[in-house]
Amino acid sequence: MLKKILSISGKPGLYKLISYGKNIIVVENLADKKRMPAYSYNKIISLGDIAIYTTDEEVPLADVFETIYKQNDGKVLDKKELTKDATALHDFFTSVLPNYDTDRVYDTDMKKVIAWYNILVEAGFTTFKSEEKEEAEAGAAEAETEAAADETK
Protein backbone atom coordinates (compact mmCIF):
# COMPACT_ATOMS: atom_id res chain seq x y z
CA MET A 1 0.00 0.00 0.00
CA LEU A 2 2.71 2.49 0.96
CA LYS A 3 4.86 1.63 -2.08
CA LYS A 4 2.91 4.15 -4.20
CA ILE A 5 2.97 6.89 -1.57
CA LEU A 6 6.00 9.14 -2.00
CA SER A 7 7.87 11.78 -0.09
CA ILE A 8 9.66 14.33 -2.27
CA SER A 9 12.52 16.25 -0.71
CA GLY A 10 11.90 20.00 -0.68
CA LYS A 11 8.15 19.64 -1.20
CA PRO A 12 5.67 19.51 1.68
CA GLY A 13 3.24 16.66 2.14
CA LEU A 14 2.92 13.23 0.58
CA TYR A 15 2.25 12.28 -3.00
CA LYS A 16 0.60 9.36 -4.75
CA LEU A 17 2.38 7.89 -7.77
CA ILE A 18 0.15 8.25 -10.83
CA SER A 19 2.45 7.31 -13.74
CA TYR A 20 6.08 7.40 -14.73
CA GLY A 21 8.28 7.87 -17.75
CA LYS A 22 11.99 7.88 -18.53
CA ASN A 23 13.08 10.89 -16.46
CA ILE A 24 9.82 12.00 -14.90
CA ILE A 25 6.99 10.75 -12.75
CA VAL A 26 3.54 12.23 -12.33
CA VAL A 27 2.41 12.51 -8.74
CA GLU A 28 -0.76 13.68 -7.02
CA ASN A 29 -0.68 15.59 -3.76
CA LEU A 30 -2.73 13.69 -1.17
CA ALA A 31 -3.99 16.86 0.48
CA ASP A 32 -5.25 18.93 -2.46
CA LYS A 33 -5.33 16.28 -5.25
CA LYS A 34 -3.26 18.47 -7.60
CA ARG A 35 -1.06 16.62 -10.05
CA MET A 36 2.47 17.68 -10.87
CA PRO A 37 5.65 16.28 -12.36
CA ALA A 38 8.57 15.10 -10.27
CA TYR A 39 11.90 14.76 -11.99
CA SER A 40 14.74 12.27 -11.69
CA TYR A 41 16.93 14.85 -9.92
CA ASN A 42 14.40 15.19 -7.06
CA LYS A 43 15.09 13.05 -4.03
CA ILE A 44 12.03 10.81 -4.01
CA ILE A 45 11.44 7.96 -1.57
CA SER A 46 8.56 5.56 -1.19
CA LEU A 47 7.10 5.23 2.30
CA GLY A 48 7.15 1.47 1.75
CA ASP A 49 10.96 1.60 1.73
CA ILE A 50 11.27 3.43 5.05
CA ALA A 51 11.89 1.63 8.35
CA ILE A 52 12.39 2.80 11.92
CA TYR A 53 15.50 1.74 13.82
CA THR A 54 14.96 -0.37 16.92
CA THR A 55 17.40 -2.03 19.28
CA ASP A 56 16.68 -5.39 17.62
CA GLU A 57 15.97 -4.80 13.94
CA GLU A 58 14.40 -2.25 11.64
CA VAL A 59 10.59 -2.05 11.75
CA PRO A 60 8.79 -1.09 8.52
CA LEU A 61 6.96 2.22 8.63
CA ALA A 62 3.73 0.42 7.71
CA ASP A 63 3.89 -1.53 10.99
CA VAL A 64 4.39 1.70 12.95
CA PHE A 65 1.41 3.31 11.17
CA GLU A 66 -0.74 0.22 11.90
CA THR A 67 0.12 0.45 15.61
CA ILE A 68 -0.66 4.17 15.74
CA TYR A 69 -3.93 3.57 13.88
CA LYS A 70 -5.02 0.84 16.32
CA GLN A 71 -4.01 2.82 19.43
CA ASN A 72 -5.92 5.91 18.32
CA ASP A 73 -8.99 4.19 16.84
CA GLY A 74 -8.15 5.54 13.39
CA LYS A 75 -8.26 9.17 14.48
CA VAL A 76 -5.90 11.94 13.47
CA LEU A 77 -3.24 12.71 16.07
CA ASP A 78 -3.03 16.08 17.82
CA LYS A 79 0.35 17.14 16.47
CA LYS A 80 0.60 20.28 18.62
CA GLU A 81 -0.03 18.30 21.80
CA LEU A 82 2.48 15.59 20.92
CA THR A 83 5.24 17.92 19.75
CA LYS A 84 4.93 20.61 22.43
CA ASP A 85 7.94 19.18 24.26
CA ALA A 86 10.43 16.38 23.78
CA THR A 87 9.09 14.34 26.70
CA ALA A 88 5.58 14.07 25.24
CA LEU A 89 7.03 13.13 21.86
CA HIS A 90 9.28 10.41 23.30
CA ASP A 91 6.48 9.06 25.51
CA PHE A 92 4.18 8.78 22.49
CA PHE A 93 6.82 7.06 20.38
CA THR A 94 7.66 4.68 23.23
CA SER A 95 4.00 3.69 23.43
CA VAL A 96 3.97 3.00 19.69
CA LEU A 97 7.37 1.34 19.36
CA PRO A 98 8.79 0.51 22.81
CA ASN A 99 12.22 -0.60 21.62
CA TYR A 100 12.99 2.20 19.14
CA ASP A 101 16.65 3.19 19.03
CA THR A 102 16.87 6.46 20.95
CA ASP A 103 20.31 7.20 19.49
CA ARG A 104 19.34 6.88 15.81
CA VAL A 105 15.69 8.00 15.79
CA TYR A 106 15.67 11.79 16.13
CA ASP A 107 12.85 14.09 17.23
CA THR A 108 12.50 15.34 13.64
CA ASP A 109 11.97 11.74 12.47
CA MET A 110 9.23 11.23 15.07
CA LYS A 111 7.53 14.49 14.04
CA LYS A 112 7.66 13.41 10.40
CA VAL A 113 6.06 10.05 11.23
CA ILE A 114 3.23 11.86 13.06
CA ALA A 115 2.74 14.31 10.19
CA TRP A 116 2.75 11.53 7.56
CA TYR A 117 0.29 9.46 9.59
CA ASN A 118 -2.08 12.43 9.82
CA ILE A 119 -1.84 13.10 6.07
CA LEU A 120 -2.60 9.47 5.26
CA VAL A 121 -5.57 9.23 7.63
CA GLU A 122 -7.01 12.53 6.39
CA ALA A 123 -6.65 11.23 2.81
CA GLY A 124 -8.69 8.15 3.74
CA PHE A 125 -5.99 5.50 4.12
CA THR A 126 -6.96 2.94 6.73
CA THR A 127 -4.70 0.01 5.83
CA PHE A 128 -1.01 0.55 5.58
CA LYS A 129 0.23 -2.94 4.73
CA SER A 130 -0.38 -4.51 1.36
CA GLU A 131 -2.64 -7.56 1.39
CA GLU A 132 0.06 -9.64 -0.33
CA LYS A 133 2.51 -8.89 2.47
CA GLU A 134 -0.03 -9.76 5.16
CA GLU A 135 -0.80 -13.06 3.43
CA ALA A 136 2.93 -13.84 3.18
CA GLU A 137 3.42 -13.07 6.88
CA ALA A 138 0.43 -15.26 7.80
CA GLY A 139 1.80 -18.08 5.64
CA ALA A 140 5.24 -17.78 7.26
CA ALA A 141 3.73 -17.86 10.75
CA GLU A 142 1.65 -20.91 9.82
CA ALA A 143 4.75 -22.67 8.44
CA GLU A 144 6.65 -21.93 11.67
CA THR A 145 3.78 -23.34 13.73
CA GLU A 146 3.71 -26.51 11.63
CA ALA A 147 7.49 -26.88 11.90
CA ALA A 148 7.33 -26.49 15.67
CA ALA A 149 4.55 -29.09 15.83
CA ASP A 150 6.62 -31.51 13.74
CA GLU A 151 9.61 -31.04 16.07
CA THR A 152 7.54 -31.93 19.13
CA LYS A 153 6.36 -35.22 17.59
Side-chain angles (χ1 to χ4, degrees):
M1 182 68 184
L2 292 181
K3 281 288 187 191
K4 292 189 176 188
I5 305 298
L6 309 172
S7 172
I8 302 173
S9 182
K11 299 191 185 294
L14 293 175
Y15 300 86
K16 181 179 180 181
L17 175 65
I18 301 299
S19 67
Y20 53 91
K22 186 174 181 181
N23 292 323
I24 189 173
I25 62 172
V26 177
V27 295
E28 180 179 83
N29 189 315
L30 289 180
D32 61 13
K33 305 295 185 206
K34 289 185 181 178
R35 292 185 179 188
M36 62 181 234
Y39 300 96
S40 58
Y41 57 80
N42 292 114
K43 184 178 178 185
I44 302 169
I45 189 160
S46 167
L47 294 190
D49 295 335
I50 297 175
I52 305 294
Y53 294 116
T54 65
T55 54
D56 302 327
E57 59 187 18
E58 294 179 358
V59 175
L61 190 58
D63 293 345
V64 176
F65 285 156
E66 285 285 332
T67 304
I68 295 171
Y69 188 80
K70 288 176 185 172
Q71 281 185 355
N72 295 290
D73 298 322
K75 297 177 184 163
V76 175
L77 299 172
D78 183 4
K79 187 175 178 182
K80 287 183 181 180
E81 185 68 29
L82 291 174
T83 59
K84 68 180 178 182
D85 65 356
T87 306
L89 187 62
H90 289 275
D91 289 345
F92 169 75
F93 222 71
T94 301
S95 73
V96 172
L97 193 62
N99 60 340
Y100 79 94
D101 191 337
T102 56
D103 294 331
R104 297 194 292 175
V105 179
Y106 302 109
D107 291 358
T108 53
D109 299 329
M110 293 181 225
K111 290 176 184 177
K112 197 174 287 188
V113 167
I114 292 168
W116 285 348
Y117 170 80
N118 284 343
I119 291 169
L120 289 170
V121 170
E122 288 171 352
F125 288 89
T126 57
T127 57
F128 302 101
K129 291 183 182 181
S130 66
E131 293 176 13
E132 298 165 0
K133 186 176 179 181
E134 289 178 0
E135 289 173 5
E137 288 177 357
E142 187 176 303
E144 287 178 13
T145 305
E146 289 176 5
D150 289 342
E151 288 178 9
T152 59
K153 289 182 181 177

mmCIF file of all heavy atoms in Angstrom, residues 1-8 14-21 24-30 34-38 44-47 125:
data_model
loop_
_atom_site.group_PDB
_atom_site.id
_atom_site.type_symbol
_atom_site.label_atom_id
_atom_site.label_comp_id
_atom_site.label_asym_id
_atom_site.label_seq_id
_atom_site.Cartn_x
_atom_site.Cartn_y
_atom_site.Cartn_z
ATOM 1 N N MET A 1 0.806 -1.193 0.000
ATOM 2 C CA MET A 1 0.000 0.000 0.000
ATOM 3 C C MET A 1 0.853 1.262 0.000
ATOM 4 O O MET A 1 0.606 2.182 -0.752
ATOM 5 C CB MET A 1 -0.926 -0.043 1.224
ATOM 6 C CG MET A 1 -1.856 1.091 1.331
ATOM 7 S SD MET A 1 -3.016 0.944 0.003
ATOM 8 C CE MET A 1 -3.941 2.384 0.202
ATOM 9 N N LEU A 2 1.880 1.294 0.848
ATOM 10 C CA LEU A 2 2.710 2.485 0.963
ATOM 11 C C LEU A 2 3.750 2.594 -0.151
ATOM 12 O O LEU A 2 4.413 3.616 -0.245
ATOM 13 C CB LEU A 2 3.410 2.506 2.325
ATOM 14 C CG LEU A 2 2.504 2.707 3.531
ATOM 15 C CD1 LEU A 2 3.324 2.741 4.810
ATOM 16 C CD2 LEU A 2 1.689 3.970 3.415
ATOM 17 N N LYS A 3 3.874 1.587 -0.990
ATOM 18 C CA LYS A 3 4.856 1.633 -2.077
ATOM 19 C C LYS A 3 4.554 2.760 -3.059
ATOM 20 O O LYS A 3 5.456 3.324 -3.660
ATOM 21 C CB LYS A 3 4.898 0.304 -2.845
ATOM 22 C CG LYS A 3 5.674 -0.774 -2.156
ATOM 23 C CD LYS A 3 7.136 -0.473 -2.228
ATOM 24 C CE LYS A 3 7.935 -1.631 -1.689
ATOM 25 N NZ LYS A 3 9.322 -1.266 -1.504
ATOM 26 N N LYS A 4 3.283 3.110 -3.238
ATOM 27 C CA LYS A 4 2.906 4.146 -4.196
ATOM 28 C C LYS A 4 2.737 5.520 -3.552
ATOM 29 O O LYS A 4 2.350 6.468 -4.210
ATOM 30 C CB LYS A 4 1.629 3.750 -4.926
ATOM 31 C CG LYS A 4 1.842 2.566 -5.835
ATOM 32 C CD LYS A 4 0.649 2.322 -6.705
ATOM 33 C CE LYS A 4 0.973 1.168 -7.656
ATOM 34 N NZ LYS A 4 -0.053 1.001 -8.657
ATOM 35 N N ILE A 5 3.020 5.613 -2.258
ATOM 36 C CA ILE A 5 2.972 6.895 -1.568
ATOM 37 C C ILE A 5 4.411 7.391 -1.431
ATOM 38 O O ILE A 5 5.271 6.682 -0.926
ATOM 39 C CB ILE A 5 2.310 6.773 -0.173
ATOM 40 C CG1 ILE A 5 0.928 6.146 -0.283
ATOM 41 C CG2 ILE A 5 2.258 8.132 0.510
ATOM 42 C CD1 ILE A 5 -0.059 6.942 -1.114
ATOM 43 N N LEU A 6 4.647 8.616 -1.897
ATOM 44 C CA LEU A 6 6.004 9.136 -2.003
ATOM 45 C C LEU A 6 6.207 10.389 -1.171
ATOM 46 O O LEU A 6 5.286 11.186 -1.002
ATOM 47 C CB LEU A 6 6.318 9.464 -3.464
ATOM 48 C CG LEU A 6 6.047 8.371 -4.488
ATOM 49 C CD1 LEU A 6 6.217 8.919 -5.897
ATOM 50 C CD2 LEU A 6 6.958 7.189 -4.261
ATOM 51 N N SER A 7 7.425 10.543 -0.718
ATOM 52 C CA SER A 7 7.871 11.781 -0.092
ATOM 53 C C SER A 7 8.903 12.384 -1.042
ATOM 54 O O SER A 7 9.829 11.695 -1.468
ATOM 55 C CB SER A 7 8.503 11.496 1.271
ATOM 56 O OG SER A 7 9.098 12.669 1.785
ATOM 57 N N ILE A 8 8.741 13.660 -1.356
ATOM 58 C CA ILE A 8 9.661 14.335 -2.273
ATOM 59 C C ILE A 8 10.386 15.411 -1.484
ATOM 60 O O ILE A 8 9.760 16.311 -0.919
ATOM 61 C CB ILE A 8 8.911 14.947 -3.467
ATOM 62 C CG1 ILE A 8 8.139 13.848 -4.212
ATOM 63 C CG2 ILE A 8 9.874 15.665 -4.397
ATOM 64 C CD1 ILE A 8 7.233 14.349 -5.311
ATOM 65 N N LEU A 14 2.701 14.540 1.199
ATOM 66 C CA LEU A 14 2.924 13.234 0.583
ATOM 67 C C LEU A 14 2.235 13.207 -0.767
ATOM 68 O O LEU A 14 1.256 13.917 -0.999
ATOM 69 C CB LEU A 14 2.372 12.120 1.468
ATOM 70 C CG LEU A 14 3.078 11.909 2.798
ATOM 71 C CD1 LEU A 14 2.352 10.850 3.612
ATOM 72 C CD2 LEU A 14 4.525 11.521 2.596
ATOM 73 N N TYR A 15 2.741 12.346 -1.643
ATOM 74 C CA TYR A 15 2.246 12.281 -3.004
ATOM 75 C C TYR A 15 1.968 10.840 -3.398
ATOM 76 O O TYR A 15 2.677 9.933 -2.977
ATOM 77 C CB TYR A 15 3.283 12.888 -3.968
ATOM 78 C CG TYR A 15 3.563 14.334 -3.644
ATOM 79 C CD1 TYR A 15 4.508 14.685 -2.695
ATOM 80 C CD2 TYR A 15 2.855 15.345 -4.269
ATOM 81 C CE1 TYR A 15 4.746 16.004 -2.376
ATOM 82 C CE2 TYR A 15 3.084 16.670 -3.966
ATOM 83 C CZ TYR A 15 4.027 16.993 -3.013
ATOM 84 O OH TYR A 15 4.247 18.303 -2.694
ATOM 85 N N LYS A 16 0.955 10.677 -4.221
ATOM 86 C CA LYS A 16 0.605 9.358 -4.747
ATOM 87 C C LYS A 16 1.177 9.246 -6.152
ATOM 88 O O LYS A 16 1.020 10.156 -6.975
ATOM 89 C CB LYS A 16 -0.913 9.203 -4.784
ATOM 90 C CG LYS A 16 -1.383 7.868 -5.286
ATOM 91 C CD LYS A 16 -2.902 7.814 -5.250
ATOM 92 C CE LYS A 16 -3.393 6.481 -5.760
ATOM 93 N NZ LYS A 16 -4.856 6.423 -5.756
ATOM 94 N N LEU A 17 1.839 8.132 -6.443
ATOM 95 C CA LEU A 17 2.384 7.888 -7.766
ATOM 96 C C LEU A 17 1.246 7.627 -8.742
ATOM 97 O O LEU A 17 0.422 6.746 -8.521
ATOM 98 C CB LEU A 17 3.328 6.680 -7.737
ATOM 99 C CG LEU A 17 3.889 6.224 -9.070
ATOM 100 C CD1 LEU A 17 4.790 7.283 -9.678
ATOM 101 C CD2 LEU A 17 4.648 4.923 -8.903
ATOM 102 N N ILE A 18 1.190 8.409 -9.829
ATOM 103 C CA ILE A 18 0.150 8.255 -10.833
ATOM 104 C C ILE A 18 0.708 7.505 -12.044
ATOM 105 O O ILE A 18 0.154 6.502 -12.475
ATOM 106 C CB ILE A 18 -0.417 9.625 -11.267
ATOM 107 C CG1 ILE A 18 -1.010 10.369 -10.064
ATOM 108 C CG2 ILE A 18 -1.455 9.460 -12.371
ATOM 109 C CD1 ILE A 18 -2.147 9.661 -9.378
ATOM 110 N N SER A 19 1.808 7.992 -12.604
ATOM 111 C CA SER A 19 2.449 7.312 -13.736
ATOM 112 C C SER A 19 3.907 7.752 -13.796
ATOM 113 O O SER A 19 4.317 8.697 -13.123
ATOM 114 C CB SER A 19 1.736 7.632 -15.049
ATOM 115 O OG SER A 19 1.904 8.989 -15.382
ATOM 116 N N TYR A 20 4.668 7.061 -14.627
ATOM 117 C CA TYR A 20 6.079 7.398 -14.726
ATOM 118 C C TYR A 20 6.573 7.217 -16.152
ATOM 119 O O TYR A 20 6.020 6.467 -16.943
ATOM 120 C CB TYR A 20 6.918 6.586 -13.746
ATOM 121 C CG TYR A 20 6.710 5.093 -13.845
ATOM 122 C CD1 TYR A 20 7.497 4.311 -14.676
ATOM 123 C CD2 TYR A 20 5.724 4.465 -13.092
ATOM 124 C CE1 TYR A 20 7.302 2.946 -14.763
ATOM 125 C CE2 TYR A 20 5.515 3.102 -13.171
ATOM 126 C CZ TYR A 20 6.317 2.359 -14.010
ATOM 127 O OH TYR A 20 6.118 1.008 -14.101
ATOM 128 N N GLY A 21 7.637 7.946 -16.449
ATOM 129 C CA GLY A 21 8.284 7.873 -17.751
ATOM 130 C C GLY A 21 9.768 7.692 -17.564
ATOM 131 O O GLY A 21 10.227 7.242 -16.508
ATOM 132 N N ILE A 24 10.852 11.241 -15.589
ATOM 133 C CA ILE A 24 9.821 11.999 -14.899
ATOM 134 C C ILE A 24 8.754 11.049 -14.349
ATOM 135 O O ILE A 24 8.512 9.994 -14.910
ATOM 136 C CB ILE A 24 9.184 13.024 -15.871
ATOM 137 C CG1 ILE A 24 8.260 13.994 -15.149
ATOM 138 C CG2 ILE A 24 8.453 12.329 -16.973
ATOM 139 C CD1 ILE A 24 7.749 15.116 -16.039
ATOM 140 N N ILE A 25 8.163 11.456 -13.245
ATOM 141 C CA ILE A 25 6.988 10.746 -12.748
ATOM 142 C C ILE A 25 5.900 11.781 -12.501
ATOM 143 O O ILE A 25 6.182 12.948 -12.211
ATOM 144 C CB ILE A 25 7.265 9.914 -11.473
ATOM 145 C CG1 ILE A 25 7.693 10.786 -10.300
ATOM 146 C CG2 ILE A 25 8.275 8.830 -11.729
ATOM 147 C CD1 ILE A 25 7.799 10.048 -8.981
ATOM 148 N N VAL A 26 4.674 11.361 -12.631
ATOM 149 C CA VAL A 26 3.543 12.229 -12.335
ATOM 150 C C VAL A 26 2.995 11.805 -10.983
ATOM 151 O O VAL A 26 2.735 10.618 -10.754
ATOM 152 C CB VAL A 26 2.450 12.119 -13.425
ATOM 153 C CG1 VAL A 26 1.249 12.984 -13.063
ATOM 154 C CG2 VAL A 26 3.011 12.513 -14.782
ATOM 155 N N VAL A 27 2.874 12.785 -10.092
ATOM 156 C CA VAL A 27 2.407 12.512 -8.739
ATOM 157 C C VAL A 27 1.201 13.386 -8.436
ATOM 158 O O VAL A 27 0.991 14.424 -9.064
ATOM 159 C CB VAL A 27 3.515 12.758 -7.690
ATOM 160 C CG1 VAL A 27 4.663 11.789 -7.871
ATOM 161 C CG2 VAL A 27 4.012 14.193 -7.730
ATOM 162 N N GLU A 28 0.418 12.935 -7.449
ATOM 163 C CA GLU A 28 -0.756 13.683 -7.023
ATOM 164 C C GLU A 28 -0.627 13.953 -5.529
ATOM 165 O O GLU A 28 -0.417 13.028 -4.738
ATOM 166 C CB GLU A 28 -2.017 12.858 -7.298
ATOM 167 C CG GLU A 28 -3.301 13.539 -6.893
ATOM 168 C CD GLU A 28 -4.502 12.677 -7.216
ATOM 169 O OE1 GLU A 28 -4.805 11.779 -6.391
ATOM 170 O OE2 GLU A 28 -5.108 12.886 -8.269
ATOM 171 N N ASN A 29 -0.745 15.211 -5.153
ATOM 172 C CA ASN A 29 -0.675 15.595 -3.755
ATOM 173 C C ASN A 29 -1.873 14.989 -3.025
ATOM 174 O O ASN A 29 -3.004 15.113 -3.476
ATOM 175 C CB ASN A 29 -0.685 17.118 -3.633
ATOM 176 C CG ASN A 29 -0.400 17.593 -2.228
ATOM 177 O OD1 ASN A 29 -0.936 17.065 -1.263
ATOM 178 N ND2 ASN A 29 0.461 18.586 -2.125
ATOM 179 N N LEU A 30 -1.634 14.327 -1.911
ATOM 180 C CA LEU A 30 -2.728 13.686 -1.172
ATOM 181 C C LEU A 30 -3.669 14.698 -0.533
ATOM 182 O O LEU A 30 -4.852 14.411 -0.352
ATOM 183 C CB LEU A 30 -2.177 12.751 -0.093
ATOM 184 C CG LEU A 30 -1.511 11.473 -0.569
ATOM 185 C CD1 LEU A 30 -1.016 10.665 0.621
ATOM 186 C CD2 LEU A 30 -2.435 10.645 -1.413
ATOM 187 N N LYS A 34 -3.859 17.859 -6.416
ATOM 188 C CA LYS A 34 -3.261 18.473 -7.602
ATOM 189 C C LYS A 34 -2.144 17.586 -8.118
ATOM 190 O O LYS A 34 -1.338 17.062 -7.346
ATOM 191 C CB LYS A 34 -2.710 19.859 -7.277
ATOM 192 C CG LYS A 34 -3.782 20.882 -7.027
ATOM 193 C CD LYS A 34 -3.189 22.253 -6.821
ATOM 194 C CE LYS A 34 -4.286 23.266 -6.551
ATOM 195 N NZ LYS A 34 -3.730 24.596 -6.299
ATOM 196 N N ARG A 35 -2.111 17.431 -9.432
ATOM 197 C CA ARG A 35 -1.061 16.624 -10.053
ATOM 198 C C ARG A 35 0.085 17.509 -10.510
ATOM 199 O O ARG A 35 -0.125 18.652 -10.919
ATOM 200 C CB ARG A 35 -1.629 15.846 -11.233
ATOM 201 C CG ARG A 35 -2.594 14.777 -10.776
ATOM 202 C CD ARG A 35 -3.069 13.928 -11.899
ATOM 203 N NE ARG A 35 -3.975 12.904 -11.383
ATOM 204 C CZ ARG A 35 -4.437 11.908 -12.084
ATOM 205 N NH1 ARG A 35 -4.092 11.775 -13.345
ATOM 206 N NH2 ARG A 35 -5.237 11.026 -11.539
ATOM 207 N N MET A 36 1.280 16.942 -10.451
ATOM 208 C CA MET A 36 2.472 17.685 -10.867
ATOM 209 C C MET A 36 3.564 16.703 -11.259
ATOM 210 O O MET A 36 3.533 15.535 -10.865
ATOM 211 C CB MET A 36 2.944 18.589 -9.738
ATOM 212 C CG MET A 36 3.367 17.858 -8.480
ATOM 213 S SD MET A 36 3.883 18.977 -7.204
ATOM 214 C CE MET A 36 5.489 18.318 -6.842
ATOM 215 N N PRO A 37 4.537 17.164 -12.010
ATOM 216 C CA PRO A 37 5.648 16.283 -12.364
ATOM 217 C C PRO A 37 6.720 16.296 -11.275
ATOM 218 O O PRO A 37 6.903 17.284 -10.572
ATOM 219 C CB PRO A 37 6.185 16.920 -13.651
ATOM 220 C CG PRO A 37 5.876 18.369 -13.500
ATOM 221 C CD PRO A 37 4.576 18.432 -12.741
ATOM 222 N N ALA A 38 7.394 15.190 -11.135
ATOM 223 C CA ALA A 38 8.573 15.095 -10.273
ATOM 224 C C ALA A 38 9.678 14.525 -11.163
ATOM 225 O O ALA A 38 9.448 13.575 -11.915
ATOM 226 C CB ALA A 38 8.309 14.197 -9.081
ATOM 227 N N ILE A 44 13.354 11.380 -4.196
ATOM 228 C CA ILE A 44 12.029 10.806 -4.009
ATOM 229 C C ILE A 44 12.183 9.464 -3.312
ATOM 230 O O ILE A 44 13.011 8.651 -3.711
ATOM 231 C CB ILE A 44 11.325 10.609 -5.368
ATOM 232 C CG1 ILE A 44 11.222 11.949 -6.098
ATOM 233 C CG2 ILE A 44 9.958 9.979 -5.181
ATOM 234 C CD1 ILE A 44 10.787 11.832 -7.534
ATOM 235 N N ILE A 45 11.381 9.248 -2.276
ATOM 236 C CA ILE A 45 11.441 7.964 -1.573
ATOM 237 C C ILE A 45 10.018 7.478 -1.308
ATOM 238 O O ILE A 45 9.130 8.252 -0.977
ATOM 239 C CB ILE A 45 12.251 8.056 -0.266
ATOM 240 C CG1 ILE A 45 12.473 6.664 0.314
ATOM 241 C CG2 ILE A 45 11.601 8.972 0.727
ATOM 242 C CD1 ILE A 45 13.599 6.580 1.285
ATOM 243 N N SER A 46 9.850 6.198 -1.462
ATOM 244 C CA SER A 46 8.562 5.561 -1.190
ATOM 245 C C SER A 46 8.455 5.279 0.300
ATOM 246 O O SER A 46 9.423 4.833 0.932
ATOM 247 C CB SER A 46 8.476 4.252 -1.976
ATOM 248 O OG SER A 46 7.405 3.479 -1.523
ATOM 249 N N LEU A 47 7.275 5.513 0.868
ATOM 250 C CA LEU A 47 7.097 5.227 2.296
ATOM 251 C C LEU A 47 7.225 3.734 2.581
ATOM 252 O O LEU A 47 7.560 3.335 3.698
ATOM 253 C CB LEU A 47 5.739 5.727 2.784
ATOM 254 C CG LEU A 47 5.510 7.238 2.781
ATOM 255 C CD1 LEU A 47 4.230 7.572 3.523
ATOM 256 C CD2 LEU A 47 6.665 7.992 3.361
ATOM 257 N N PHE A 125 -6.702 6.768 4.036
ATOM 258 C CA PHE A 125 -5.994 5.498 4.116
ATOM 259 C C PHE A 125 -6.242 4.873 5.481
ATOM 260 O O PHE A 125 -6.050 5.512 6.518
ATOM 261 C CB PHE A 125 -4.486 5.696 3.909
ATOM 262 C CG PHE A 125 -4.111 6.023 2.503
ATOM 263 C CD1 PHE A 125 -4.073 7.336 2.068
ATOM 264 C CD2 PHE A 125 -3.824 5.015 1.609
ATOM 265 C CE1 PHE A 125 -3.742 7.636 0.770
ATOM 266 C CE2 PHE A 125 -3.494 5.311 0.303
ATOM 267 C CZ PHE A 125 -3.452 6.629 -0.124
#
